[in-house]
Structure formats: C-alpha cells, structure tokens
C-alpha cells in the first residue's frame, strides 16, 4: 500500500493533518517506518513538521529545552549536555542515533525508551502546542496521545548527582535487558536527601522506583545503606518476557544493577 508523506512548516498545521484517519507523526522514523515496512496497514500516511524550534537545543544556565526532533547523536555531541551523553549513546548504534529523536523515544515501547528513562529521572516537562505535562503524566497517558510533542525541558543535573546505566547482552549497541537512571542529592555527611530513580524495561514503559527512592532517604550510599532500596526496587515492576530476557531474569538482576549504580 502506498504511504503518503506530508511535510508542514508549522506544528499547528501538522497537528491539524494528524486528524485524518491512518496518519502518524514521523520523527526519525526508526520505529514508525519500520512498522509500515513490516506491513502495519493501520499506517496510511506520515506527517512531519519542519518548524525550526523542533530541532533546537537551548541551554540557559541549568535550564535545558530540547526540541522533539533533536536526535540522540545531536545530544551526545552537544558541548553542554555531556552529563546526558551516556544516556543518548545508549540508544542503538550510530546509524540509529543519527535518526532517532527525543520525541520518538518518548513513545518507544519496552525494550526501547532508554533516553526517556533518563528524562523520567530528571523530572522532565513534555511540551505540546496545547501546553505542558510532567513526564510521568505524559507517559501514563501516551497511548491516547495524538498531539505532536514539541519539546522536553528539564533542569540540568550536576554530573555527580546523575547516574545512568543500560544492561544489554550485545555490546555496545544491544537492546536493553533494563536501564536505570537516578538523580540523587546528598547532604554534607553523605546521606541521601532526595532520590529519583527511573527504570526502563521493568514495565511496558519507563517507571519510577518509588519504594526504592523512599528507602534511600537518610541513608548513605554504602552496601548497608542501600540494602533497603535494593530490597524494595522490584515493587510494582511488571517487565515483559521478550527475546532479550525473561520477566523473571529482569526482576532477578534489577537489584544487582541498582546496587552497582548506587555504589559506583
Ligand atoms: C536497530 C534498532 C535499534 C534500536 N535500539 C534502541 C535502543 O537501544 N534504545 C532505545 O531506546 N531505542 C532503540 N530503538 C528504537 C528507536 O530507534 C528509538 O526509540 C528512537 O528514539 C525512536 O525515535 P524515532 O524518532 O525514530 O521515532 P519514530 O519511528 O519516528 O516514531 C515512533 C513513534 O513515536 C511517534 N512520534 C515520534 N515523534 C513524535 C512527536 N514529536 N510527537 C508525537 N509523536 C511522535 C510516531 O508517530 C510513532 O508512533 C532501536 C531501533 C532500531 C530500529
């Protein structure tokens, strides 16, 4: 079946075109074009917008706004986003990263969505022409979303407070067994004063490990200090069994890798 591609200069016009049945927004196309090529007949038309703000990274002090069409490669090489380079480089190999966008990553189902795990730990704000939503609200409602995501915004973490790891069987570009991102703030005595931990591949979309976050407060990042967090990190997880790993395996290794992340 022929696939029509329509390009619009503004997000507003592209959003209007998305009202037509069978249309899907085109980011980098690494997932949606693959789906069409593999015979997903629900897709009859692709819509894209070339509005410049979609492809812009703006950094003002510690405030960052990344346009939804910005690629993982552009983030990985940006001079002010070094703290996020590891998470951007976790997405596929170089060819995929040259195409894969931030906007598309927000919609990528597990075992994909590694960069979104980092954005969830950062408590990012997701922007559309209609307004803004916290990334948690956005992820909870994303299945019903038809609006074009225009940007993600967040406060740039200090390098020491942000951690990210991806576990895969094939190095360096295998698909995730799981991924973890955390933003931790420590008091002068080394105890944790605030913690935000996001997990990838432990549900159908990135999720927070709220029990583990709570269990870290007031504790130090030592083997004993993090033990309660490791004991609770599986609360609420519902990973898939897929060709990469079984749900059982993902749950078994999650505390091991959280331990490595926290003690690193
Ligand atoms: C070989 C291969 C390896 C991969 N490895 C990884 C990996 O290691 N980690 C990982 O996270 N992902 C991986 N992916 C998945 C994918 O490349 C990334 O998740 C990527 O970020 C998706 O972005 P995209 O721009 O290509 O999305 P697209 O394919 O363009 O779109 C995906 C979905 O999001 C929607 N969408 C895209 N942009 C917007 C927007 N701005 N507003 C509203 N809806 C939008 C589309 O309509 C579509 O439904 C891999 C893919 C391939 C093919």
């Amino acid at each position: 079946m022929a696939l029509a591609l329509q390009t619009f200069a503004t997000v507003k016009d592209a959003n209007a075109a998305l009202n037509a049945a069978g249309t899907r927004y085109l980011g980098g196309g690494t997932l949606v074009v693959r789906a069409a090529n593999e015979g997903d007949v629900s897709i009859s038309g692709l819509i894209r917008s070339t509005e410049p703000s979609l492809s812009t990274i703006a950094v003002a002090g510690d405030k960052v706004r990344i346009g939804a069409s910005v690629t993982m490669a552009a983030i990985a090489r940006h001079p002010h986003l070094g703290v996020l380079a590891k998470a951007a480089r976790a997405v596929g190999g170089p060819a995929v990263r040259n195409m894969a966008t931030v906007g598309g990553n927000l919609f990528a189902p597990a075992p994909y969505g590694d960069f979104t795990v980092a954005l969830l730990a950062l408590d990012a704000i997701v922007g559309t022409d209609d307004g803004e939503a916290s990334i948690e609200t956005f992820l909870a409602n994303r299945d019903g979303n038809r609006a074009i995501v225009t940007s993600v915004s967040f406060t740039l973490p200090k390098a020491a407070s942000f951690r990210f790891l991806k576990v895969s069987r094939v190095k360096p570009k295998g698909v995730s067994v799981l991924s973890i991102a955390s933003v931790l703030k420590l008091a002068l005595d080394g105890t944790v004063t605030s913690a935000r931990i996001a997990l990838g591949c432990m549900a159908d979309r990135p999720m927070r490990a709220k029990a583990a976050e709570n269990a870290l407060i007031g504790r130090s990042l030592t083997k004993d200090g993090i033990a309660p967090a490791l004991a609770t990190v599986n609360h609420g997880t519902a990973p898939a069994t897929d060709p990469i790993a079984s749900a059982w395996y993902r749950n078994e290794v999650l505390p091991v890798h959280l331990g490595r992340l926290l003690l690193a």
Side-chain angles (χ1 to χ4, degrees):
M1 191 170 70
L3 199 59
L5 171 64
Q6 290 177 275
T7 302
F8 295 90
T10 66
V11 169
K12 187 171 178 243
D13 289 344
N15 266 323
L18 279 168
N19 286 326
T23 53
R24 297 273 288 278
Y25 190 72
L26 176 68
T30 59
L31 291 176
V32 73
V33 173
R34 184 172 73 172
N37 286 341
E38 287 178 348
D40 183 343
V41 291
S42 71
I43 308 169
S44 57
L46 294 172
I47 307 291
R48 66 192 274 266
S49 170
T50 52
E51 191 164 305
S53 64
L54 291 173
S55 303
T56 305
I57 297 176
V59 182
D62 64 354
K63 301 295 175 207
V64 179
R65 179 198 180 279
I66 303 180
S69 301
V70 170
T71 63
M72 296 299 147
I75 294 169
R77 67 173 175 255
H78 194 281
H80 295 121
L81 300 181
V83 67
L84 292 181
K86 188 175 179 187
R89 284 201 193 98
V91 176
V96 168
R97 287 198 290 277
N98 272 334
M99 302 297 292
T101 66
V102 172
N105 204 261
L106 287 170
F107 291 90
Y112 299 138
D114 295 312
F115 193 74
T116 301
V117 174
L119 292 173
L120 181 58
L122 292 170
D123 198 11
I125 300 293
V126 178
T128 67
D129 262 7
D130 290 336
E132 297 182 328
S134 74
I135 187 162
E136 253 180 305
T137 304
F138 170 82
L139 287 171
N141 299 318
R142 79 175 178 185
D143 295 349
N145 179 81
R146 288 289 291 165
I148 297 168
V149 170
T150 50
S151 66
V152 293
S153 309
F154 51 87
T155 302
L156 197 62
K158 300 231 180 323
S161 66
F162 180 75
R163 299 169 190 212
F164 178 87
L165 73 72
K166 166 173 169 167
V167 181
S168 61
R169 292 173 190 270
V170 181
K171 306 287 190 250
K173 58 177 188 178
V175 175
S176 282
V177 171
L178 60 87
S179 53
I180 313 175
S182 68
V183 177
L184 305 175
K185 290 189 183 135
L186 306 183
L188 286 176
D189 66 358
T191 54
V192 177
T193 55
S194 84
R196 208 171 148 102
I197 300 172
L199 308 175
C201 298
M202 297 310 299
D204 68 342
R205 64 200 72 196
M207 60 173 282
R208 276 176 73 189
K210 290 187 181 173
E213 291 172 358
N214 291 335
L216 273 181
I217 303 300
R219 311 283 299 190
S220 54
L221 296 180
T222 61
K223 204 171 166 212
D224 286 346
I226 67 170
L230 304 195
T232 53
V233 69
N234 296 84
H235 283 190
T237 61
T241 291
D242 59 25
I244 311 296
S246 67
W248 173 85
Y249 181 76
R250 285 186 160 109
N251 269 321
E252 284 295 306
V253 299
L254 173 60
V256 177
H257 290 290
L258 179 63
R260 288 179 188 166
L261 183 88
L262 294 175
L263 295 175

